[in-house]
Amino acid sequence: MRNNHLRMLSESPYNAEPPCLVELTKHAITPMRLMYARNHSDVVNFEEAPGSFELKIEGEIEGMTEVSFAFRDLIANFPRKEVVATLICAGNRRAKMSEKTQKKVEGIKWGEGAISNVRWGGVLLRDLLLQLGVPANGNQENMHVCFASHVAPCEQDTYYGGSIPLEKAMDEEGDVLLAYEMNGQPLTPGHGFPLRVVVPGYSGMRWVKWVDRITISRRESTNFYQQRDYKMLPECVTSRDIADSQDWWDRVPAMQALPLNSVVAKVECFSQSTPSSEENPAVRASGYAYSHSRISHVEISADGGLSWAPAKITYQEGRWSWSLWEGAVEVAPVRSGLGEKRGITVMSRAYDESGRLQNTECAWNLRGVGFCGAGEGTIEL
Ligand SMILES: Nc1nc2c(c(=O)[nH]1)N[C@H]1C(S)=C(S)[C@@H](COP(=O)(O)O)O[C@H]1N2
Ligand SMILES: [Mo]
């Protein structure tokens, strides 16, 4: 199950990310070998006996009784839908948060590679729920779809679970899938075979792998990973003790939609010709950006954020993919003495289609989740 292309962050449970952002961002669609792995439990392999896997669905909805689907029937009875969507761990960039704020953060020290952009294939959850009698546009406010996987005990709970608003699942454009394929291949055991949830535009922890129970409920999932983790606690909450004793977990909403974010993957220097045919030093940078809606543009700066130049979006697919970008900026001529090292740092920031700008002032939080400070990449000259 170990993957030599990844940098291992913990062995058991298995957590790993691609070590090289240049390599990761070379591919618009992330090849399977470069997909990060995030697990709160052991990986369970159903490949030998997919027939033993059943998905149960129930709901606090009038007329809805519990039904059970064999994995194969689900595939056979519902249309296959393909969606390109980027999967991102809420802890992506956690090491950066720690570095920028000079404060310790709890949890695995993810770099900036806990992201993959995948062509998912599966069944639309909406199709399934409609067939089970969930009304298309009923009174769905404050209702939730709870996903659970009981295949293995987790670090902090007896099972893994999480929920999303029912409105997201029933949204005709929400594209929430029960996926059985990635990039045209069956899911691998590590990524949830035979069935995982795909929630485009939402953070990775809701994309429950090996999902074996779905419950429509008036309450959010009661699982640890919905209630006691994956929350952006305020800066004053400096320990789990404070979080628990002052009831912060119930006062702060569970993270759902992806934050607006950008990352620099690569910086190169070159000479740029100006109209007066002077050759000026310049840097070229590239990277990725994402949000819960489409990225409209990305800007870069080589002077610490005093001035920003537009970058070009080089890849975007549908509503839910990551955006790859590339840009160049001139830099001040190098004037350093012999033996003196000089580096140039390129920063990035992204805007989404509603005109919102990445919140680069993003603060520290105890769990080190949702970091969205400006992207940064440095080249030594
Ligand atoms: N059953 C189960 N599903 C899970 C998890 C888990 O530990 N168990 N981890 C979640 C988290 S935190 C993330 S970021 C993604 C990671 O998916 P991947 O391992 O396919 O990259 O799966 C989510 N689904
Ligand atoms: Mo995650």
Side-chain angles (χ1 to χ4, degrees):
M1 219 63 84
R2 305 290 173 259
N3 173 346
N4 290 335
H5 297 276
L6 303 183
R7 175 171 77 104
M8 190 162 74
L9 293 151
S10 79
E11 186 165 10
S12 181
Y14 182 56
N15 289 295
E17 73 180 320
C20 175
L21 291 184
V22 175
E23 164 77 349
L24 178 66
T25 52
K26 252 185 216 161
H27 310 274
I29 296 286
T30 309
M32 242 185 264
R33 67 184 154 81
L34 294 180
M35 281 185 73
Y36 77 98
R38 174 60 176 124
N39 296 293
H40 290 285
S41 75
D42 287 343
V43 166
V44 183
N45 189 343
F46 287 95
E47 277 179 335
E48 298 298 313
S52 68
F53 192 90
E54 268 193 353
L55 170 67
K56 293 198 170 61
I57 309 182
E58 64 192 330
E60 294 169 9
I61 287 199
E62 227 178 83
M64 202 174 158
T65 49
E66 183 178 299
V67 284
S68 190
F69 287 94
F71 161 58
R72 302 245 174 262
D73 293 343
L74 205 65
I75 296 183
N77 294 335
F78 292 91
R80 178 176 175 282
K81 165 89 179 176
E82 216 173 75
V83 178
V84 173
T86 182
L87 166 62
I88 304 155
C89 184
N92 190 38
R93 312 192 70 202
R94 180 177 286 141
K96 197 69 168 179
M97 173 188 284
S98 186
E99 176 196 320
K100 298 308 287 181
T101 59
Q102 292 288 304
K103 281 165 94 169
K104 273 201 179 147
V105 284
E106 248 189 32
I108 294 170
K109 302 299 174 291
W110 295 105
E112 298 180 315
I115 175 166
S116 30
N117 189 55
V118 173
R119 196 177 300 280
W120 305 96
V123 170
L124 273 173
L125 179 58
R126 175 186 153 87
D127 287 351
L128 192 70
L129 295 183
L130 283 175
Q131 203 196 72
L132 298 181
V134 178
N137 305 302
N139 184 9
Q140 289 166 354
E141 259 175 61
N142 303 320
M143 295 288 283
H144 307 269
V145 187
C146 306
F147 305 110
S149 171
H150 300 84
V151 300
C154 292
E155 294 160 297
Q156 292 103 336
D157 207 325
T158 52
Y159 72 101
Y160 188 85
S163 58
I164 61 170
L166 179 58
E167 275 175 333
K168 168 71 177 169
M170 295 307 287
D171 182 351
E172 268 179 281
E173 295 182 348
D175 290 336
V176 179
L177 294 183
L178 300 180
Y180 46 84
E181 284 174 7
M182 50 192 203
N183 299 346
Q185 303 287 321
L187 293 182
T188 58
H191 295 293
F193 181 90
L195 220 49
R196 87 170 301 163
V197 183
V198 164
V199 194
Y202 275 43
S203 224
M205 65 281 185
R206 308 294 173 238
W207 300 38
V208 176
K209 302 190 272 191
W210 317 288
V211 58
D212 57 11
R213 186 174 283 271
I214 296 178
T215 311
I216 316 287
S217 172
R218 272 176 255 287
R219 297 181 58 191
E220 275 190 348
S221 166
T222 54
N223 190 267
F224 179 92
Y225 300 102
Q226 182 83 22
Q227 299 298 336
R228 292 285 181 274
D229 200 353
Y230 297 117
K231 297 199 175 189
M232 294 176 77
L233 301 171
E235 252 184 303
C236 62
V237 182
T238 51
S239 70
R240 255 196 196 265
D241 280 350
I242 295 178
D244 292 340
S245 63
Q246 296 179 9
D247 216 17
W248 281 105
W249 296 113
D250 292 333
R251 288 154 72 179
V252 174
M255 291 173 78
Q256 297 284 21
L258 289 169
L260 175 50
N261 220 335
S262 68
V263 160
V264 176
K266 181 178 175 185
V267 184
E268 294 173 306
C269 44
F270 68 108
S271 290
Q272 181 163 276
S273 308
T274 60
S276 58
S277 79
E278 251 179 77
E279 292 270 312
N280 283 337
V283 285
R284 199 178 354 251
S286 59
Y288 67 75
Y290 59 83
S291 182
H292 57 272
S293 64
R294 207 175 275 141
I295 295 293
S296 66
H297 61 290
V298 174
E299 293 174 337
I300 56 175
S301 169
D303 57 11
L306 292 175
S307 62
W308 293 88
K312 195 176 76 192
I313 298 212
T314 56
Y315 167 82
Q316 212 171 49
E317 190 168 352
R319 290 181 64 198
W320 312 112
S321 78
W322 66 359
S323 297
L324 297 178
W325 56 265
E326 195 180 287
V329 268
E330 268 186 34
V331 295
V334 184
R335 276 191 214 94
S336 58
L338 268 184
E340 213 177 290
K341 269 217 168 153
R342 189 167 175 276
I344 293 180
T345 295
V346 176
M347 294 161 71
S348 69
R349 65 182 189 187
Y351 295 79
D352 70 12
E353 59 190 354
S354 67
R356 247 173 10 116
L357 169 63
Q358 181 177 341
N359 173 23
T360 53
E361 298 304 312
C362 176
W364 175 93
N365 63 72
L366 180 68
R367 293 294 294 106
V369 285
F371 184 68
C372 56
E376 265 186 10
T378 297
I379 185 168
E380 298 278 335
L381 294 179

